Amino acid sequence: MSKTVSLKEKWNLLVQKLTNQFADGDELNIDGIIYLVGVQELGQGHRSFKKDEKMNLMHIAICKLLEPYGYYEFDFFDDDGWPHYKTITELPSLKPGEQTVLMKEAIINYFDSINYLD
């Protein structure tokens, strides 16, 4: 008999694990986790990024996270190795709380898919 783990419980576990691995004492917030997903998806390892590159990393992460929901689809890698996505379906108008729930669910699904939470 397995216990069903709630979204909140999974989120707290994920935040704790990522914070322990990547943060220097301060708990990671959702933007920090999205940034980490972007760095992971870029696949160029840990390095310093310029401000515009950081914004692009966030965009890459959001596209990757929402790809399974049918909003984006991977298109190509550019000459510098950056992934590009195309919009498949426009995102629905969501209230801020609903956006947060969608992103947390998508982040948990992403980390589940790479067996990070095992």
Side-chain angles (χ1 to χ4, degrees):
M1 175 163 43
S2 67
K3 177 185 169 206
T4 303
V5 182
S6 72
L7 177 68
K8 183 177 181 181
E9 290 170 318
K10 278 189 167 187
W11 178 254
N12 290 337
L13 174 66
L14 178 64
V15 169
Q16 180 184 12
K17 191 169 180 178
L18 289 171
T19 295
N20 290 341
Q21 188 171 354
F22 295 105
D24 294 327
D26 292 331
E27 186 173 279
L28 287 173
N29 62 19
I30 192 166
D31 289 335
I33 295 171
I34 291 170
Y35 176 79
L36 286 175
V37 170
V39 172
Q40 173 70 23
E41 287 305 307
L42 180 61
Q44 295 181 2
H46 177 71
R47 65 175 177 89
S48 294
F49 293 98
K50 298 176 196 160
K51 185 176 182 176
D52 64 322
E53 289 178 320
K54 289 178 182 178
M55 294 303 296
N56 289 337
L57 286 169
M58 300 287 283
H59 179 71
I60 288 168
I62 290 168
C63 291
K64 178 64 179 181
L65 291 167
L66 296 179
E67 186 177 27
Y69 295 82
Y71 296 113
Y72 297 97
E73 180 178 88
F74 174 76
D75 197 12
F76 67 96
F77 286 102
D78 66 19
D79 292 339
D80 294 322
W82 287 70
H84 290 260
Y85 289 80
K86 59 185 174 185
T87 302
I88 301 301
T89 304
E90 291 295 323
L91 288 168
S93 294
L94 299 173
K95 296 175 186 168
E98 295 170 329
Q99 289 176 3
T100 301
V101 169
L102 173 63
M103 290 310 299
K104 284 182 176 181
E105 181 182 274
I107 290 167
I108 289 167
N109 289 339
Y110 173 84
F111 282 98
D112 271 347
S113 75
I114 61 172
N115 300 317
Y116 183 78
L117 292 171
D118 292 346

